[in-house]
Amino acid sequence: METDHFMNRQDSAGSPTVLLGISGGIAAYKTPQLVRLLVQSGMDVQCVLTRSATHFVTPLVLATLSGNPVYEDMWAVRDRPSVEHIAVADRADVAVIAPATANVIGKLAAGIADDLLTTVFTAVICPVLLCPAMNVNMYRNPIVQANLEKLRSVGFHVLDPDAGFLACGWEGEGRMPDPEVIAEGVSHLLAPRDLVGERILVTAGPTEEPLDPVRFITNRSSGKMGVAVADRAAARGATVTLVAGPLKVVPPARVRHVPVRTAREMYDRVIEYFPDVDVVVKAAAVADFRPALEKTGKMKKDEVGSSIELLKNPDIVKQLGETKRKDQIVVGFAAETHDARAHGTAKLREKHLDMLVLNDVSKPGAGFDYDTNIVTFLHRSGEEEDFGVLPKERVADLILDRVLRLRKQAIDT
Ligand code: CTP
């Protein structure tokens, strides 16, 4: 069953707070309607405007509809502490900028925070939805597109503009989607707070096994899947520790990130933290072998010879499966290229896992470097769940939904 994120969150923790940033584009005139829709669906809306946005929509309208004061000037509120902009950012469960002008997009991509809106949005750690709206030629400008790509790569969500007649007289993409569409996008990003109190350890990324100071053995893992699990678990209220090998993606700000390099370092940290966690999701692609000798100086060609002696690394997840308490849940991953089901089923059993996430990395859209994955969940009961191509974030939520169910069963028995 699909989880209704917004309803779940309301049930467990009252009204979620939405931070609505409004920048100076003509589409700002649609934002009172957006505020009404968000308020009607039970959200607490906090508006932050740029100075130019006030030419298109008045703060009074937004304050009246949201029932909250509107922030527009970094220095206007003299009776509040100067860290108010951080408090505004911290309170948000989800944030949206509608419309997001080329200027604001450019500033956020460059890390410029020279007014209240860009300062607040540089400080937010919740999911952010950007709704670009501008003239079609501005939107197609390669610099604007590169800025959007950069923001996407660090986790911003972008709602593509609609195509149609634009206020500037041109026709093409650049029109801000209707407030109903934006409101729906906002509630999708809002996570349920169903993991509050859970302590979750996630491992991610590859490990590196050094041969000498400049060479190492590794694999193609980017860490995206594990990072998505850590991010969604934190968004849903869990206390998350992310033990990760060298990542190709930025670890989420709201998790405790413990960087490691080798499989043995990962083993040490995971075994250390294991007694104090409820759940382990072992998404890391741990190197199975390490060079028997790590040279302190760079090896010369002649020294290498025709073979490298390897030693087996400890199987971290297997040890967790064998030693776990009844109330602990351990989820493993298996990336396979052939006979995926048979290998996955064997790993589930041999490593004493509660669930195994199987992905066939030979399929396009699955595995390394992709933002999507194609997974099958293998359960101890023999039940299997197959999914089509899904964003890794969605896969992460599906895993966490199962984890929650397994935890409830484990606690009840
Ligand atoms: N794993 C682990 N420690 C290792 C190797 C793997 O904890 N030394 C974990 C991975 O994090 C993953 C699961 O075991 O959750 C399966 O990893 P995978 O590499 O697919 O399995 P292996 O047991 O290494 O089998 P093989 O490489 O032969 O397919």
Side-chain angles (χ1 to χ4, degrees):
M1 199 182 77
E2 294 267 315
T3 316
D4 185 333
H5 288 177
F6 177 50
M7 291 316 290
N8 272 3
R9 178 172 164 86
Q10 272 195 308
D11 289 346
S12 58
S15 305
T17 299
V18 185
L19 178 64
L20 170 59
I22 304 171
S23 57
I26 177 67
Y29 84 90
K30 297 182 189 171
T31 53
Q33 175 64 4
L34 176 59
V35 173
R36 284 195 59 187
L37 291 169
L38 295 173
V39 170
Q40 274 166 7
S41 53
M43 302 191 206
D44 186 35
V45 182
Q46 176 67 72
C47 297
V48 180
L49 273 79
T50 61
R51 181 143 294 171
S52 25
T54 60
H55 295 292
F56 301 101
V57 59
T58 72
L60 182 61
V61 171
L62 298 166
T64 308
L65 292 175
S66 68
N68 282 319
V70 168
Y71 293 95
E72 51 172 308
D73 183 346
M74 188 97 176
W75 312 110
V77 200
R78 300 225 175 263
D79 58 343
R80 300 223 183 104
S82 58
V83 289
E84 181 67 13
H85 57 282
I86 301 297
V88 171
D90 285 349
R91 274 199 300 274
D93 296 299
V94 62
V96 51
I97 304 185
T101 58
N103 182 44
V104 157
I105 290 166
K107 283 201 236 175
L108 288 177
I112 296 170
D114 66 350
D115 62 5
L116 186 60
L117 186 144
T118 48
T119 304
V120 168
F121 275 82
T122 303
V124 290
I125 54 173
C126 64
V128 180
L129 180 66
L130 293 178
C131 306
M134 62 197 79
N135 160 273
V136 58
N137 296 326
M138 289 174 81
Y139 181 66
R140 287 181 188 165
N141 183 309
I143 295 173
V144 173
Q145 286 302 318
N147 287 336
L148 283 170
E149 203 38 54
K150 186 172 175 190
L151 291 169
R152 273 196 194 97
S153 75
V154 294
F156 282 75
H157 301 266
V158 179
L159 186 64
D160 293 332
D162 288 342
F165 284 107
L166 304 175
C168 52
W170 282 78
E171 196 181 342
E173 63 273 30
R175 204 169 67 178
M176 192 171 86
D178 288 338
E180 287 75 9
V181 177
I182 301 175
E184 199 184 300
V186 170
S187 42
H188 266 296
L189 288 183
L190 209 49
R193 303 288 291 174
D194 53 0
L195 292 174
V196 171
E198 293 294 310
R199 299 162 301 172
I200 302 189
L201 172 62
V202 181
T203 70
T207 63
E208 288 179 358
E209 311 298 325
L211 279 156
D212 67 16
V214 295
R215 303 182 181 95
F216 52 84
I217 299 172
T218 190
N219 58 64
R220 287 182 51 206
S221 170
S222 62
K224 280 183 185 171
M225 191 61 244
V227 165
V229 173
D231 190 34
R232 295 305 298 165
R236 291 168 66 164
T239 305
V240 181
T241 303
L242 175 68
V243 176
L247 297 171
K248 289 188 197 146
V249 286
V250 183
R254 56 192 158 186
V255 310
R256 173 183 172 213
H257 174 214
V258 180
V260 294
R261 187 176 181 212
T262 65
R264 280 177 301 164
E265 281 169 33
M266 184 173 281
Y267 174 87
D268 288 344
R269 293 287 78 76
V270 170
I271 298 300
E272 179 189 340
Y273 301 143
F274 189 47
D276 297 321
V277 298
D278 307 302
V279 176
V280 180
V281 179
K282 193 93 197 27
V286 186
D288 290 319
F289 295 94
R290 66 178 182 275
L293 275 183
E294 183 190 345
K295 300 276 175 153
T296 46
K298 185 185 166 195
M299 270 193 286
K300 290 289 163 199
K301 284 194 277 299
D302 318 338
E303 280 181 73
V304 180
S306 59
S307 63
I308 296 166
E309 197 192 333
L310 297 173
L311 293 178
K312 211 157 189 231
N313 276 327
D315 190 323
I316 308 169
V317 87
K318 188 165 185 229
Q319 183 162 336
L320 302 183
E322 285 169 353
T323 59
K324 77 189 188 74
R325 296 188 307 266
K326 267 201 162 139
D327 63 301
Q328 288 179 307
I329 302 302
V330 178
V331 177
F333 274 68
E336 306 288 348
T337 55
H338 58 281
D339 301 326
R341 268 196 167 64
H343 288 307
T345 310
K347 285 178 191 174
L348 177 75
R349 204 180 47 245
E350 283 158 18
K351 300 190 187 212
H352 305 278
L353 305 174
D354 295 287
M355 181 175 124
L356 186 114
V357 180
L358 179 64
N359 62 335
D360 186 338
V361 286
S362 63
K363 291 182 188 161
F368 311 116
D369 286 325
Y370 282 101
D371 291 324
T372 53
N373 213 347
I374 307 170
V375 294
T376 301
F377 295 166
L378 304 183
H379 298 273
R380 290 195 73 81
S381 60
E383 189 200 342
E384 296 182 6
E385 296 181 274
D386 272 315
F387 301 93
V389 183
L390 291 173
K392 284 185 172 168
E393 275 194 350
R394 184 73 194 116
V395 174
D397 270 325
L398 291 167
I399 294 169
L400 293 166
D401 291 344
R402 302 318 178 266
V403 161
L404 193 61
R405 200 170 63 200
L406 288 165
R407 265 284 285 165
K408 282 188 180 139
Q409 286 165 2
I411 294 165
D412 289 346
T413 52

